[in-house]
Amino acid sequence: MKKRYDVIIVGTGVAGLNCALHLPKNRNALVICKQTPDKCDSYLAQGGICRLQSEADFAPYFEDTMRAGHYENNPAAVECMIRGSVGVIDGLVGLGVEFARNADGTLAATREGGHSGNRICFHADCTGKEITAKLMRSVSELENVEIAPDTAMLDLVVSGGECLGIVARCPDGEIRTVFSDYTVLACGGIGGIFKKSTNFRLLTGDGVAVCLKHGVAVDNVNYIQIHPTTLYSEKSGRSFLISESVRGEGAVLLDKNFERFTDELQPRDVVTAEILRQMKKDGTSFVWLDMRVIPEEELKTHFPTIIKRCAEEGVDVFNECVPVVPAQHYFMGGIRSDLNGRTTMPRLYAVGETCCNGVHGANRLASNSLLESILFAERAAVDIAGNYSPADRSVYEEAVNGLDMREYADGEKLAEKYKNMLLNAIKEAENDKPRN
């Protein structure tokens, strides 16, 4: 790792990788991640990625997104995302992403909860892994990009209200400061601060926490999505998600008497509320998801990962129902950013789940997350390139000299501090403006 880069990107999910991919080749970039690059939620995304099907689909797609978000979405962000979706998918295909195809060779499209039609491109039930792997392959080939695993961002280097780089813990445990003209936070979600979450445990909202520390604006930090269907297990660790696509293909939710109790294709927050209400009524810790209504061959080709994981838990999806329970899944709030990823701090950008540009409102529509992350990350890269200006190295060095490096010596203590900072912000936000 060098002492200076043009751009530092924190995170190796689809947002971080796509931002790196679209930076000018004459700009050197450092991309860091806490552990190995595959330990990001982008890899876990099962369902798919939305694509505008036709001009006639724009109004319904826009309405579906707004309705799911309780009309608290930023309409400009929603339109930007939808209009850009075709270009995003075309770009991914160009990178070698293999989406499912119809018999005539056109892109297949499935449907999930909250959608009024089929508009979701997919790769079996591991779309996120397919996209992230192909982005990683492309970024790894770039001579101007250095990827540093097992490297954690501990803080921002700030002077005069500008971001001039980061404080990082390197793989050998050394704590270093790194100077950059621009910093992009693509740190992912906050599931690691919750007991039950579909997120990797290492995703603890560090980006949001350091922004809270330095007075960078954050929005709607209490807007936290609970996914309706994760595999029920008494084991500790990350909750395994049962994709919404399963219900999109016909799977139904059943109570303790194996009777259907809700419309499975409503927005996630509505289905979650229905499940929790039914669990309370039945006095159970889960409800049943019946996948047997889906043709066996369709199950095998579309949902192999889910079949395998359920089998590991002793559940045969072809012959019995699957116990499911809601768990924390996604973060709609985050670091305030505009449509180009700019935060309220000069030289600092935020993209992906860690940011809040208003596109999701109070509740995210299924399969909009990969699309949003990829699209706005590219816009951030283009914005950096089009408005590039070098930072003052002497100001950075002055800021570094003013840091008390002892603050970062105890990693566990610092992590706990950031966790409590974020939890307090969530509590305050909920008291000030309860989620709709």
Side-chain angles (χ1 to χ4, degrees):
M1 185 188 299
K2 297 182 294 187
K3 295 182 178 180
R4 184 200 181 283
Y5 294 86
D6 295 326
V7 181
I8 294 175
I9 300 172
V10 183
T12 54
V14 295
L17 292 175
N18 206 46
C19 184
L21 187 64
H22 285 88
L23 288 172
K25 301 303 180 283
N26 65 338
R27 298 297 178 191
N28 65 76
L30 172 69
V31 183
I32 70 170
C33 55
K34 275 185 178 179
Q35 294 184 12
T36 55
D38 60 329
K39 294 298 188 294
C40 65
D41 279 356
S42 295
Y43 260 87
L44 301 176
Q46 293 179 4
I49 178 170
C50 293
R51 178 183 183 275
L52 181 67
Q53 296 297 294
S54 65
E55 187 56 35
D57 185 41
F58 177 82
Y61 185 4
F62 185 91
E63 172 61 20
D64 290 347
T65 300
M66 296 293 291
R67 183 168 63 88
H70 296 258
Y71 298 97
E72 292 190 32
N73 320 57
N74 174 359
V78 176
E79 179 170 4
C80 181
M81 178 187 69
I82 294 174
R83 293 292 183 193
S85 64
V86 174
V88 166
I89 298 300
D90 288 348
L92 293 174
V93 171
L95 293 177
V97 174
E98 298 180 5
F99 291 113
R101 300 274 178 171
N102 297 312
D104 62 0
T106 57
L107 291 168
T110 188
R111 181 185 176 190
E112 296 183 9
H115 287 271
S116 56
N118 292 36
R119 62 171 69 96
I120 301 167
C121 300
F122 62 95
H123 176 93
D125 59 354
C126 55
T127 307
K129 180 179 179 180
E130 169 70 7
I131 292 174
T132 312
K134 296 298 167 60
L135 281 171
M136 176 59 75
R137 184 181 69 183
S138 297
V139 172
S140 298
E141 295 172 350
L142 297 175
E143 295 182 358
N144 65 311
V145 177
E146 177 184 344
I147 299 174
D150 300 310
T151 303
M153 176 196 66
L154 305 179
D155 203 352
L156 304 174
V157 176
V158 177
S159 180
E162 286 191 330
C163 181
L164 301 174
I166 65 170
V167 180
R169 177 178 286 108
C170 300
D172 61 2
E174 180 188 4
I175 297 172
R176 296 178 54 181
T177 59
V178 189
F179 174 45
S180 65
D181 294 330
Y182 295 92
T183 299
V184 181
L185 300 179
C187 318
I190 63 173
I193 69 174
F194 297 97
K195 184 177 180 180
K196 287 291 185 181
S197 174
T198 62
N199 296 183
F200 280 112
R201 303 308 300 167
L202 60 88
L203 298 174
T204 49
D206 304 341
V208 181
V210 297
C211 284
L212 287 168
K213 176 182 177 180
H214 290 284
V216 180
V218 301
D219 289 325
N220 302 329
V221 290
N222 57 321
Y223 283 15
I224 299 163
Q225 185 175 78
I226 308 299
H227 196 284
T229 51
T230 69
L231 181 61
Y232 174 78
S233 175
E234 295 184 356
K235 299 176 182 177
S236 60
R238 184 177 65 82
S239 300
F240 180 76
L241 184 142
I242 305 292
S243 172
E244 205 152 8
S245 293
V246 172
R247 285 176 278 129
E249 295 298 331
V252 293
L253 291 165
L254 308 174
D255 63 15
K256 68 176 182 179
N257 298 313
F258 297 97
E259 294 180 355
R260 191 177 179 190
F261 61 87
T262 190
D263 174 3
E264 295 81 6
L265 293 181
Q266 298 174 99
R268 286 176 176 171
D269 57 340
V270 178
V271 177
T272 292
E274 289 295 316
I275 290 175
L276 294 174
R277 187 178 298 112
Q278 193 63 45
M279 285 166 53
K280 183 177 181 179
K281 177 181 177 182
D282 290 348
T284 59
S285 301
F286 57 84
V287 296
W288 297 107
L289 179 68
D290 191 354
M291 299 169 59
R292 295 171 297 181
V293 296
I294 303 173
E296 184 171 328
E297 193 57 35
E298 172 67 13
L299 268 177
K300 290 179 178 178
T301 57
H302 197 160
F303 306 110
T305 307
I306 293 173
I307 293 171
K308 181 175 182 291
R309 181 56 183 271
C310 287
E312 291 171 353
E313 293 288 332
V315 180
D316 178 2
V317 302
F318 299 103
N319 294 296
E320 57 186 323
C321 295
V322 181
V324 295
V325 63
Q328 191 278 336
H329 178 57
Y330 194 81
F331 184 44
M332 283 81 61
I335 306 160
R336 182 187 299 169
S337 64
D338 65 13
L339 301 191
N340 294 316
R342 293 192 182 199
T343 70
T344 57
M345 177 176 282
R347 301 187 180 278
L348 180 67
Y349 287 70
V351 292
E353 191 173 350
T354 202
C355 85
C356 179
N357 59 23
V359 73
H360 301 306
N363 177 62
R364 177 173 66 79
L365 180 67
S367 288
N368 267 346
S369 58
L370 290 173
L371 172 60
E372 176 251 333
S373 294
I374 292 169
L375 176 73
F376 290 107
E378 178 179 346
R379 291 177 65 91
V382 171
D383 192 73
I384 290 171
N387 298 278
Y388 202 95
S389 64
D392 190 329
R393 180 66 180 256
S394 64
V395 175
Y396 160 79
E397 291 174 349
E398 183 179 342
V400 169
N401 290 333
L403 292 174
D404 183 356
M405 301 304 284
R406 292 173 298 179
E407 179 183 355
Y408 313 114
D410 189 332
E412 290 186 5
K413 183 178 179 180
L414 183 64
E416 188 66 19
K417 174 185 175 181
Y418 284 159
K419 175 183 175 180
N420 290 332
M421 191 181 299
L422 183 51
L423 287 172
N424 288 335
I426 291 170
K427 183 178 179 180
E428 291 174 9
E430 186 64 18
N431 289 336
D432 182 56
K433 180 189 174 187
R435 180 181 167 190
N436 185 348

